[in-house]
Amino acid sequence: MSRKKKTSLPKAHALLPLGALAAGFGLASAALAQTTPPKEDNVLPTVRAKASAEKQGKDDYQATETRIGKGKQDIRDIPQALTVVTEKVMDDRNFSSVKEVLRNTSGITFQAAEGGEEDIKIHGISLQGTGDVFIDGMRDPAFYDRDTFFLDRLELLRGSASLLFGRGSTGGALNQVTKQAVLADQNEVAVQMGSHGALRAVGDFNTRTGENSAFRVVGMHNTADSNGAGSMLDKRGVGASYRFGIDETDEFGITVYGLQNDNGINYGVRWIRPTATGAANQLNTALDPDAYYGMASDFNKGTAYYAMLSHTHRFSPETELVTKVRAANYTRDQRATLWNFAAAAQQPTKLNVALDNINANTIITRALQLKKQDMQTITAQSDLSSKFKLGGFDNVLQAGIDFSNEKKQVFATVGTQTAKPSTTVGTPFDGASYDESLRNFRTSSDYTSKAYGGYVQNMIQVAPMWKLLAGLRYDNLTGDYFQYSAATPPVVTSYRMKVSEVSKRAAVLFQPNEQWSFHLMGATSFNTSGDAYSLSAANVDIPPESSVNVELGTKWDSADGKLSVRASAFRNTKLHERNTDPLVNLVTLSGKRHAAGLDVDILGRITPQWEVFGNFTWMPVAKIDIGVAGSEGQGTRPSLTPRYSGSLWTAYQVLPSLRLGVGANARSGQQPNRNPGFYAPKFITADVMAEYTVIPEQLLFKLYVSNVANKLYADQLYTSFYVPGTGRVTSVTGTYKF
């Protein structure tokens, strides 16, 4: 299917300056402060790290260490399914957004929503909707289009994770690890040109400023007439990191970040009937998914700014305390069009629109979809990790405390809104517009939550091949929600939610040698009614949902450590799931569901020339055990839970100057939310890459083609519409390193 190139929409203003944010460090453990100073011969020696001492995401497909467990750990000691996507994988696969990374990660699906924000699902359980997205281990709860330019890697932890992160974390947690300054002089500029007038430039500059200090700044600008699915792109960002005292007793870091999205938005495509008398339950193969039927003045603007201060105190080579304070500010302003086919009486055919009668004269109506909201967060946490012997046993202790203050304001329009004009199937990109500056807004609601928590977890090596892990966490959250009417003065309705919960995690690990590790893990999680930052009379007094995750897994590393394979069998159970009884419009904890299956990862080097990165999820079991009439039916398979999904990428150095890559992404059929009785069809897409090195370690060019066959598929699903997946996109990238 060919795709039409659309005219450029108006570009946005230049990047606003980042404000300087400051915070203090005051969370060091009082117990540690009282600890007897170490003997002189145990004082941590000063370390002069070379650049190669700090492995970066750009170095390899394979990651061997992670901090998603709240302390630096070998991945083989994480008793839970973990997929790490490094910067090198993202670069090779041409991923410029976090959504693209997740779209090519197994077990992940996307629910479109009437508000325009997709909800990321893992194993069918909400991830984004419960705020389980993090930056450097700290919650990043806002809805915005996340870019990859400042990311060293993405870490996706599957299964219950409330012990580590508190509320939410039923399906898992997504941690974005930012690029940090390293003790090296390394610079890189990449410029990309591609389909739909795309132009993307990223500059990454790192300078060693002293014996133990370094500064790094990364900038990005990306424009395109379309992203391949009907949305214009115009985004820019900058991230900077300064570290001093690197690898010494006291290390300090400052990270600042700013991202501006002034993008367009293709809100979605309606499911279509096969015939005029059928049900709307099929993909619309008559339309080019890159066709845009919204207004030329529609936009999806958003900003994300944050500053983070960090301090690492190393009591010894085996004990460190990491303290972080982060302040963030987000804005979102969406003016979108949700279009629909006009009623049969208004159509030239006088029939309901269907695949067998749709034509260029078919009339499309446009509805206004607004979403305007701001959010501010302050987060602080201290995490202690220590390795020590006690009673003759090796122990790995992790403990920490955290605090967060999150505020969200939602705005509504004032007065009657201007109706949008209709259009026809034959006139996409018709140029119709409205002066969006004429709209006035009022505050319709605001929400403030204050939360604190603390956890302790210990792993004991009880025998040469056996380790036991156990942990507890306590969380306390108070949320205040205020709703304001449109009257003058407004009528204020308020609700308060209080949550006090304990989360648990336990595991046994069997590690017979350096290559093999087996684990059996069980963990609990909870998520509150206020996850979406709104309360009402229907849900304010509803206790948190509770869940249990059980996992049996193994990890194998090749003898040279260059290749890793991970497999885990899982069962996720929501013991108490919120449902809305449509007869009384009351939210109750009346539901129960479970899902079980297998996750597999393979990553690293098969040979020095041959690299591979793949993941696969098979979920044969998924069931609504207890349902509510009007919701997903009891005994049915939950929505957005495909039986299988997977992604495989491999690259081979065929010549000293030529490297080729090929990949595939697949997903089986799945139902949209609320199980409407039909499935979005299964699909498989393929990507290819050719990379040519002009000057070794300095200048190279890469040709990348995604969705080679231009496959039509539904990426994000909703009951009445879907957002199409990206069609064929070709790009050429030149990278210069110096």
Side-chain angles (χ1 to χ4, degrees), residues 366-403:
R366 293 164 163 151
L368 176 65
Q369 289 290 336
L370 298 176
K371 178 73 73 169
K372 185 175 172 60
Q373 56 193 31
D374 297 338
M375 178 176 280
Q376 307 84 36
T377 67
I378 296 177
T379 311
Q381 65 184 45
S382 271
D383 297 296
L384 172 71
S385 58
S386 179
K387 298 179 181 179
F388 58 92
K389 275 189 177 292
L390 182 65
F393 297 104
D394 289 330
N395 290 256
V396 179
L397 175 69
Q398 293 167 280
I401 56 174
D402 51 60
F403 166 82

Side-chain angles (χ1 to χ4, degrees), residues 59-71:
D59 297 333
D60 208 342
Y61 282 7
Q62 183 191 46
T64 58
E65 291 183 334
T66 177
R67 282 190 178 270
I68 200 167
K70 295 290 189 177

Side-chain angles (χ1 to χ4, degrees), residues 306-333:
Y306 71 79
M308 181 178 73
L309 303 180
S310 64
H311 171 230
T312 301
H313 180 73
R314 299 180 175 94
F315 296 89
S316 74
E318 303 296 341
T319 302
E320 68 175 25
L321 179 70
V322 179
T323 302
K324 299 176 182 177
V325 179
R326 179 174 176 267
N329 186 287
Y330 309 90
T331 66
R332 181 179 176 208
D333 191 355

Side-chain angles (χ1 to χ4, degrees), residues 231-254:
S231 295
M232 180 269 289
L233 294 178
D234 189 350
K235 55 183 178 178
R236 64 210 66 82
V238 62
S241 164
Y242 177 63
R243 295 168 65 199
F244 59 96
I246 297 175
D247 284 336
E248 299 205 356
T249 303
D250 285 288
E251 178 180 325
F252 297 87
I254 303 171

